[in-house]
Amino acid sequence: MTWKKRQQLTGYLFLAPYALSFLVFLVLPILVALVLSVMQFDLTATEQIKFIGTQNFTDAWKDDYVKQAMIATARYVLLFVPSLLVLSLAMAVGLNAVKKGRNVFRGMIFLPGIFTIAVTAILWQFFYNLEFGFFNWVIKQFGGTAVPWLSEKSLAMPSIVLMSLWWLSGGTAVILLASLQQIPTMYHEAAALDGAGSWKTFSKITMPLIKPVLLFTVLTNTIGAFQMFPQASLLTQGGPELSTRGTVQYIYEIAFQQYRLGYAAAISWMLTAVIMVFGIVQFIAMRRNSAQ
Amino acid sequence: MTARTGIGLLLGLCLGLSVVRGDFSCGTLASKKTPITFWNGFTGPDGRVMLEMIRDFNRENPDVEVTMQRIPWALYYNKVMVSGLDGRGPDVFVIHASALTRMQRAGVLAPMDSLFESAIPADDFDPYVVEQTKFEGKRYCVPLDIHPQGMFLNKDMLRAAGLSAAPKNREEFLRAAKVMKSSETFGFALTAWQNNFMSLLPQFDGHYMGADGKVDLDCPGNVEALEFLGSLKSKYDLIPPPDNQLGWVGYRQKKVGMVWDGIYMLGDLLRLEGMNYAGAPIPVIGKHAGTLADSHTLCFRPGMGATQREASERFVKYLSANSLRWAGAGQVPARRSVRETPEFKKMQVQAAFAEQIPTMMYFPRIPVLFEMGIEVNLAVEKVIRGRATAKEALKIADENTQMAMDRDAEQHKKVVTP
């Protein structure tokens, strides 16, 4: 065996563990889910398992609860992703400007992200509790009346989004801060010499230069937001009146509480399609913007 | 290969196999005892009592080794279902009576008629409870306990409000809820909405299924029951605004005087210090007494060998015969003879909840019980929040549950009929 071939083989051997896990834990389940989605596959009636073509997809299309879950998911995505972007960017810019104690602030901002979602939800349940919660205690101190954060339909989803922002914005801010710190200072110095104000410098120099990182954070957070499950499941259990039950939670209930794996797989594929469409559109839009 | 290398390889193989199997028995090292695996969801204090019972059984039966695995109920049924379908399920396992229909249809339960014929007296169980174990004439489980919904009271709050006894009817209940309400406390609060509502159905002669086999959730009795529950907020303003799990948390924090919940919550109270509580039947709000109930039942997997089956039957017989100890964990035994013992009668909460057994009603035996639960919960929530009348909310629940029943019947061509 030549030296070059041996080098190649070594490379493949290093990649093999990941490639194997990729095949077994990603490709195989995707294929299984694809097969399940065209089957009537109910664990409580295994003798009735059969191929039913697109029936699961047409049933899901007509299922009002799928629509309701998709709408709840869309509300979460639309509220969460832009808010996360604005908040994280503001924190990153602030951190970048601070010279003294930057690491302390960075640590503080990053801290909530190291909690598990279970811990985060328990903490925020205490904040949101109608009778004994921290937020309502503060409101009452100023003479206000208690706000039903989690039991009022119009407030429940924004409350979940607020918790998610607290939990996740630190990590995104740290990523954006790293990209801000990569920008050579000479660009900003040149802009200052040319008389550009801070907004112009930010919009014409900073933003274009961090756009690739922004694209990455928007894409990953959009995909993550579409998969929202534990936040609502732990905080509101999908209520009030199922208004915060997202698509993944509904898929979980169908698959693991109703045992209808075929139907759940079909809805999973529908959600995957939605995520892919959003992802591709965002990717194209932001790349076009970057090129300009 | 040296002897040392050979031994090392053998030990490595044993260790590897034990890791794969999930235990540490290997080849000739394994004992000659008949191993019995026992799964349940008793992750609270009840699990500790069960563990002690198993230790005693193992000591009294040296030829059998029962090992228990406790899994939280939220994950439990998935594991039992999947492992059972694959033939790798536990030998003995606990299933709620309400889950039997699905489990039996999935084929993960073995008939247990022989056990009733040989070791366990069927006439020691209430006939209604025995009926829950039967499918197409065969018995598929041994009921271990009955867990009715009942009323938990804070005796200190009751006394401070000038009340000497638990309310027994609608007037007394409303009065108690009113006098215990203050700016800091509530006399009554809802816990699990679905169960609170279903506890009232037998009192109003309500039901789940009509005589024609169709879902009948919006029958007059059910509507009356839900109207009463809704009136606690809309008419009487006695309960807190609906929020997640507020009722039980408030009760534990001594801010709620009365709640309706299952006897299984007693385990939570047993751990609390300084809580002066009592149990009582749910007051007669409707036409007569009644409540919702369910049972933990003991089941076998199909395909057990004769030796293992015999050992499993011995184990189940032991648990059933010693269910007075199980009662100590905050449960009501299914065996009538156990409930009639002076020791059980001394258990105030358990005995008070057990008074309701003659008038209790179990969940409907339908394969789409989970779907129905979601619909009923939604209906109760709408009424409590004042977003729909009881009739409107239950009509929607009825239609959606019937749709789920029809879909299930269509897909499976037959609905299991008890």
Side-chain angles (χ1 to χ4, degrees):
Chain A
M1 193 184 285
T2 63
W3 181 85
K4 201 173 179 181
K5 275 192 175 171
R6 215 162 45 221
Q7 282 289 94
Q8 266 190 346
L9 188 66
T10 311
Y12 286 130
L13 276 174
F14 275 117
L15 287 174
Y18 176 74
L20 195 69
S21 72
F22 180 79
L23 283 173
V24 174
F25 297 115
L26 202 74
V27 176
L28 191 64
I30 286 173
L31 291 176
V32 170
L34 193 62
V35 173
L36 281 176
S37 68
V38 291
M39 306 285 286
Q40 179 181 301
F41 198 106
D42 183 340
L43 285 181
T44 67
T46 45
E47 75 283 2
Q48 309 273 356
I49 290 170
K50 60 185 177 196
F51 175 77
I52 53 167
T54 57
Q55 184 66 46
N56 282 328
F57 290 93
T58 51
D59 285 352
W61 190 255
K62 289 185 251 171
D63 187 338
D64 286 341
Y65 286 140
V66 172
K67 284 190 196 101
Q68 191 180 27
M70 287 281 191
I71 290 169
T73 307
R75 281 184 65 210
Y76 179 80
V77 173
L78 290 174
L79 283 170
F80 174 71
V81 178
S83 318
L84 178 84
L85 210 63
V86 171
L87 189 66
S88 304
L89 194 57
M91 288 196 293
V93 170
L95 277 174
N96 200 34
V98 170
K99 300 295 173 206
K100 205 172 177 184
R102 180 191 288 167
N103 285 342
V104 175
F105 282 116
R106 186 162 51 186
M108 281 165 61
I109 285 171
F110 192 71
L111 189 67
I114 65 170
F115 293 137
T116 63
I117 182 61
V119 172
T120 306
I122 290 168
L123 192 65
W124 281 74
Q125 259 171 358
F126 162 69
F127 289 161
Y128 283 141
N129 190 292
L130 189 70
E131 297 293 317
F132 323 110
F134 174 70
F135 289 159
N136 282 341
W137 177 80
V138 173
I139 289 170
K140 283 176 190 169
Q141 297 307 304
F142 289 98
T145 51
V147 177
W149 300 102
L150 300 176
S151 52
E152 176 55 48
K153 260 179 166 180
S154 58
L155 289 174
M157 189 59 91
S159 301
I160 292 171
V161 169
L162 191 63
M163 180 191 77
S164 301
L165 287 173
W166 179 85
W167 186 43
L168 295 171
S169 58
T172 309
V174 170
I175 292 170
L176 291 175
L177 174 66
S179 74
L180 286 173
Q181 289 174 336
Q182 295 297 312
I183 300 172
T185 48
M186 61 182 179
Y187 292 145
H188 290 115
E189 287 163 5
L193 284 174
D194 290 344
S198 43
W199 172 246
K200 204 149 211 172
T201 309
F202 178 74
S203 60
K204 299 292 180 188
I205 294 174
T206 309
M207 282 297 278
L209 287 172
I210 63 165
K211 235 165 207 170
V213 180
L214 271 179
L215 172 66
F216 169 77
T217 53
V218 169
L219 264 180
T220 50
N221 281 299
T222 305
I223 292 168
F226 269 110
Q227 295 168 349
M228 183 271 292
F229 172 32
Q231 292 95 322
S233 174
L234 291 168
L235 210 56
T236 62
Q237 291 84 48
E241 295 176 44
L242 305 180
S243 61
T244 59
R245 182 171 73 173
T247 315
V248 177
Q249 188 178 343
Y250 188 47
I251 291 168
Y252 171 82
E253 287 176 7
I254 292 171
F256 300 110
Q257 289 174 322
Q258 300 180 24
Y259 306 114
R260 295 162 62 203
L261 298 188
Y263 190 52
I267 304 173
S268 302
W269 275 105
M270 290 169 80
L271 179 65
T272 306
V274 172
I275 293 174
M276 282 173 75
V277 168
F278 264 79
I280 290 167
V281 168
Q282 276 183 344
F283 189 75
I284 291 170
M286 292 202 70
R287 273 196 66 175
R288 190 173 293 165
N289 222 346
S290 295
Q292 283 167 359
Chain B
M1 186 192 293
T2 65
R4 185 181 288 181
T5 318
I7 291 166
L9 277 174
L10 189 64
L11 283 174
L13 186 66
C14 284
L15 189 65
L17 282 173
S18 67
V19 168
V20 171
R21 277 173 51 91
D23 60 28
F24 290 93
S25 61
C26 179
T28 54
L29 297 175
S31 67
K32 287 175 186 169
K33 291 179 175 183
T34 305
I36 300 292
T37 48
F38 175 44
W39 285 12
N40 57 59
F42 304 137
T43 52
D46 49 359
R48 285 197 285 277
V49 174
M50 183 56 78
L51 198 61
E52 284 165 18
M53 290 173 77
I54 289 169
R55 277 187 194 135
D56 289 349
F57 172 81
N58 284 340
R59 198 165 41 243
E60 289 171 30
N61 296 268
D63 58 327
V64 182
E65 180 76 45
V66 177
T67 50
M68 176 166 86
Q69 184 163 354
R70 291 180 282 177
I71 302 164
W73 289 117
L75 304 170
Y76 178 73
Y77 281 107
N78 295 336
K79 293 192 182 293
V80 171
M81 177 72 88
V82 174
S83 62
L85 288 172
D86 196 30
R88 293 180 295 114
D91 303 311
V92 184
F93 49 100
V94 173
I95 293 286
H96 284 92
S98 53
L100 283 170
T101 307
R102 271 195 165 159
M103 290 292 171
Q104 193 274 337
R105 185 168 81 173
V108 299
L109 311 179
M112 296 173 79
D113 290 292
S114 60
L115 187 61
F116 279 99
E117 284 153 17
S118 61
I120 292 182
D123 58 0
D124 199 20
F125 296 89
D126 301 86
Y128 180 69
V129 177
V130 174
E131 279 309 305
Q132 306 298 318
T133 70
K134 285 185 183 170
F135 292 88
E136 290 160 354
K138 290 180 185 165
R139 295 188 186 100
Y140 281 87
C141 60
V142 173
L144 176 65
D145 59 41
I146 296 168
H147 41 255
Q149 298 286 308
M151 186 158 68
F152 289 98
L153 301 125
N154 182 321
K155 285 163 76 176
D156 292 336
M157 284 180 70
L158 208 66
R159 201 175 298 122
L163 301 168
S164 55
K168 290 186 173 58
N169 54 44
R170 182 192 286 237
E171 288 69 35
E172 288 178 10
F173 172 72
L174 290 173
R175 193 168 68 243
K178 198 174 173 182
V179 296
M180 281 193 277
K181 191 182 174 209
S182 70
S183 59
E184 292 292 314
T185 60
F186 284 95
F188 179 71
L190 298 176
T191 50
W193 292 337
Q194 178 194 333
N195 290 352
N196 290 165
F197 164 62
M198 287 179 169
S199 298
L200 291 179
L201 298 197
Q203 297 200 2
F204 288 90
D205 295 326
H207 53 253
Y208 304 102
M209 312 297 289
D212 57 356
K214 298 271 184 192
V215 180
D216 195 18
L217 287 176
D218 59 344
C219 67
N222 295 7
V223 172
E224 269 188 89
L226 189 49
E227 278 171 349
F228 173 77
L229 222 51
S231 73
L232 291 175
K233 181 73 197 150
S234 62
K235 185 178 171 185
Y236 302 110
D237 192 25
L238 288 174
I239 55 174
D243 211 341
N244 298 329
Q245 306 297 321
L246 195 67
W248 186 257
V249 175
Y251 179 72
R252 285 178 105 253
Q253 292 175 342
K254 302 172 190 171
K255 288 179 184 290
V256 174
M258 301 180 288
V259 285
W260 299 344
D261 218 316
I263 186 70
Y264 39 80
M265 298 307 284
L266 180 56
D268 191 29
L269 295 180
L270 291 170
R271 288 184 290 187
L272 280 181
E273 282 182 20
M275 180 82 178
N276 194 8
Y277 60 86
I282 289 186
V284 182
I285 305 294
K287 297 166 186 166
H288 43 75
T291 191
L292 170 74
D294 202 346
S295 279
H296 292 122
T297 71
L298 298 161
C299 304
F300 288 166
R301 71 172 170 87
M304 264 196 279
T307 313
Q308 209 151 23
R309 172 88 186 196
E310 186 280 323
S312 298
E313 288 191 358
R314 226 187 308 159
F315 174 55
V316 167
K317 185 188 169 190
Y318 178 88
L319 291 185
S320 182
N322 290 281
S323 52
L324 182 64
R325 287 178 69 185
W326 183 234
Q331 306 283 352
V332 175
R335 297 277 288 265
R336 289 198 284 208
S337 57
V338 177
R339 297 201 304 265
E340 280 158 16
T341 57
E343 292 93 332
F344 177 76
K345 286 179 177 167
K346 277 184 203 157
M347 299 176 182
Q348 193 276 325
V349 181
Q350 291 93 322
F353 275 54
E355 283 175 32
Q356 305 174 105
I357 287 174
T359 58
M360 67 188 178
M361 185 160 89
Y362 275 58
F363 289 94
R365 303 179 74 199
I366 55 173
V368 294
L369 185 63
F370 177 81
E371 291 90 322
M372 193 198 80
I374 293 270
E375 295 298 336
V376 169
N377 214 40
L378 202 52
V380 179
E381 187 178 3
K382 283 177 188 165
V383 173
I384 301 291
R385 293 186 192 285
R387 294 206 176 106
T389 65
K391 180 72 185 169
E392 289 165 354
L394 285 171
K395 191 168 188 303
I396 294 168
D398 181 276
E399 287 168 0
N400 288 345
T401 309
Q402 186 60 52
M403 269 168 56
M405 284 279 285
D406 292 343
R407 186 252 310 145
D408 186 80
E410 173 60 27
Q411 287 185 351
H412 305 301
K413 297 299 175 204
K414 68 167 191 175
V415 175
V416 175
T417 46

